[in-house]
Amino acid sequence: MNCPHAAAHEAAQAGGTVVIDPMVQDLDGETARLRDAGPLARIELLGVPAWTVTRHAEARQLLVDPRLVKDIDAWGLWQSGVVTHAWPLIGMIDAGRSMFTVDGEEHRRLRTKTSQAITPRRLEAIRPDIEKFTEELLDALAEQGKDGVVDLKSVFAQPLPMRVVGMLMGVEESQHAMLTKKYKAFFSMLTPHEERMALLAELDVFYAGLVREKTARPTDDLTSALILAEEGGDPLTEEEVVGNLKAMVAAGHETTIGLILNAVRALLAHPDQLRKVLDGEIPWETVIEETLRWDTPTTHLLMRFATEDIQVGDNMIAKGEGVVISYRVIGRDVEQHGPDADAFDITRPTPIRHMTFGHGPHICPGAALSRVEAGIALPALFGRFPGLRLAVPDEGLRKLPVMTQNDMEAFPVLLNG
């Protein structure tokens, strides 16, 4: 790939900038380097310079600052033509109009109906469905693992959240595997750029078809609710509904995959803590919150842009510069979580005040859903298979080459030790 900003690359090579590794070969090392660089660090994303915030307090400040916006037209490198649609990460920023890409009143208008569709009452109503899906997938896991190694990710952790979000959106189960495959390819840094952009267009076509189908025959699902939305202004356009769906399905299953697998990995690496959970000394809710803090499902969230100069401590984010939120580094902030922030410890004082699902107007609308799914999946998994263990050494688990999600290629396990 040609570097679109050679000066930034040269600065990074000289040590002034942390280069974010697209292959994610050393996530712990990258996290430590970013944390050591200070509360606001200069980074390079595939040749493009930006800032990233790495501390809890500064992130809370910036995530509610109206001078930082999602509108790509506020990005100086985009305005100047230095960054174009040829940049491999552009599809994660210029992803179409949705509640994830606008601010202010327009953001509230696009978000309202989504938030109404996943209220605590709605989540309790679908809890039996999530429990049913969980049991069915555990049955499949038992069948496939009866003679040896089975992949916990592909058989259990991945299909569960896709079934749940598919049910909420009104997506037929026959389409789940296709969507999983397309999203996986879209986020992978191994996917050629032209293919990634084609995948984005294919997803647009799929969701536009779903929107037209639900427009003609609405049902009790989020897609139909978004089409019929009129609160806070005009009804949503087809483009806006498609944008919301495309992003919600991505976030709605990717985050929960990471949460489930990272929790299992942490517990298997800390058998003394696992025993406390299985003995009922520590609740699963604490496991979930400590996992969200310690090994966040989202590593780096792209990107906000400064509409004017913003002073952060000793640093100045200049008007037009891009800002990334590095949630994994924020979760290891020693000023927020103490000198043992790098340790997974479900006995630390509660509540565990992390911000893995964001803060401010753009806080993740599916946070409660992800917690409910993990709160059902994890105790059911260990209840069925208390002797579960990794089939490879922990260091043998490989991260997927995805710059934004903390995900693994596979998670091979033995179900009965």
Side-chain angles (χ1 to χ4, degrees):
M1 184 200 76
N2 293 327
C3 177
H5 202 282
H9 187 71
E10 290 170 6
Q13 295 301 95
T17 300
V18 178
V19 179
I20 304 301
D21 178 15
M23 296 296 106
V24 198
Q25 295 182 17
D26 180 18
L27 188 56
D28 285 341
E30 180 179 279
T31 296
R33 288 190 295 276
L34 286 169
R35 185 173 60 186
D36 291 345
L40 201 65
R42 290 298 270 170
I43 60 171
E44 180 192 323
L45 292 165
L46 297 182
V48 169
W51 291 99
T52 191
V53 59
T54 67
R55 301 256 178 95
H56 186 99
E58 285 78 4
R60 283 181 65 88
Q61 169 192 336
L62 289 171
L63 287 171
V64 296
D65 194 319
R67 297 172 294 177
L68 272 183
V69 301
K70 292 293 196 82
D71 183 0
I72 192 173
D73 288 331
W75 192 11
L77 294 178
W78 179 257
Q79 293 173 337
S80 66
V82 171
V83 173
T84 68
H85 278 109
W87 186 48
L89 296 176
I90 197 65
M92 299 180 193
I93 300 173
D94 188 27
R97 184 175 173 78
S98 76
M99 63 181 174
F100 297 92
T101 59
V102 298
D103 298 280
E105 287 299 327
E106 282 298 276
H107 171 256
R108 283 187 283 276
R109 185 178 74 87
L110 293 176
R111 183 183 172 106
T112 296
K113 205 64 178 183
T114 301
S115 300
Q116 290 176 348
I118 45 180
T119 61
R121 179 180 295 181
R122 174 68 166 160
L123 292 180
E124 282 306 306
I126 67 170
R127 179 179 288 274
D129 295 297
I130 301 174
E131 292 171 344
K132 174 176 175 288
F133 296 156
T134 298
E135 289 304 316
E136 290 173 353
L137 291 170
L138 288 176
D139 289 343
L141 191 68
E143 178 62 25
Q144 295 191 38
K146 64 183 180 182
D147 296 321
V149 177
V150 60
D151 180 15
L152 185 68
K153 178 181 177 179
S154 64
V155 181
F156 181 70
Q158 185 168 271
L160 176 61
M162 181 55 84
R163 279 197 189 184
V164 175
V165 77
M167 176 186 66
L168 281 172
M169 305 296 176
V171 177
E172 294 292 337
E173 190 170 338
S174 61
Q175 303 292 329
H176 293 179
M178 175 274 293
L179 286 174
T180 298
K181 182 178 179 180
K182 287 188 184 299
Y183 279 112
K184 180 180 178 181
F186 172 76
F187 285 113
S188 173
M189 298 313 302
L190 297 177
T191 302
H193 180 58
E194 296 77 11
E195 184 178 330
R196 180 181 295 109
M197 297 308 289
L199 285 165
L200 203 58
E202 290 168 12
L203 287 168
D204 283 339
V205 170
F206 171 78
Y207 287 115
L210 179 64
V211 169
R212 289 166 192 154
E213 175 189 329
K214 297 295 182 180
T215 301
R217 292 177 295 278
T219 53
D220 182 21
D221 54 56
L222 180 56
T223 303
S224 301
L226 289 172
I227 294 165
L228 299 171
E230 294 183 359
E231 288 84 347
D234 297 330
L236 276 61
T237 66
E238 180 179 293
E239 178 194 3
E240 290 168 342
V241 176
V242 166
N244 273 7
L245 290 174
K246 186 169 57 178
M248 280 293 294
V249 174
H253 81 281
E254 289 285 350
T255 299
T256 308
I257 294 170
L259 172 53
I260 292 171
L261 292 181
N262 293 344
V264 173
R265 183 181 190 181
L267 289 172
L268 294 182
H270 299 84
D272 54 330
Q273 297 189 48
L274 174 59
R275 178 47 51 195
K276 290 179 184 294
V277 181
L278 296 182
D279 288 346
E281 296 178 33
I282 295 177
W284 283 102
E285 289 82 0
T286 302
V287 174
I288 290 167
E289 298 309 314
E290 177 67 350
T291 301
L292 286 168
R293 177 201 72 81
W294 182 70
D295 204 11
T296 58
T298 300
T299 47
H300 308 291
L301 188 65
L302 314 183
M303 187 184 295
R304 287 169 167 79
F305 311 102
T307 57
E308 56 184 86
D309 293 351
I310 303 173
Q311 189 74 36
V312 181
D314 296 331
N315 294 303
M316 175 75 76
I317 303 169
K319 178 181 178 180
E321 289 190 309
V323 179
V324 172
I325 313 298
S326 290
Y327 283 113
R328 193 174 195 271
V329 191
I330 292 166
R332 304 289 184 96
D333 180 3
V334 295
E335 293 186 12
Q336 174 69 18
H337 301 293
D340 64 343
D342 282 329
F344 176 81
D345 183 7
I346 58 176
T347 68
R348 69 177 62 247
T350 54
I352 300 165
R353 299 190 183 280
H354 62 81
M355 57 187 307
T356 294
F357 287 117
H359 177 65
H362 283 279
I363 192 169
C364 177
L369 174 62
S370 189
R371 286 183 167 107
V372 168
E373 290 178 77
I376 292 171
L378 290 168
L381 173 66
F382 282 100
R384 180 83 73 95
F385 307 111
L388 182 77
R389 69 176 177 86
L390 278 172
V392 297
D394 181 85
E395 58 270 21
L397 294 173
R398 294 177 57 84
K399 294 289 186 184
L400 281 173
V402 177
M403 296 181 75
T404 51
Q405 277 88 45
N406 180 8
D407 198 358
M408 284 168 267
E409 289 183 0
F411 201 92
V413 296
L414 293 166
L415 299 178
N416 298 302

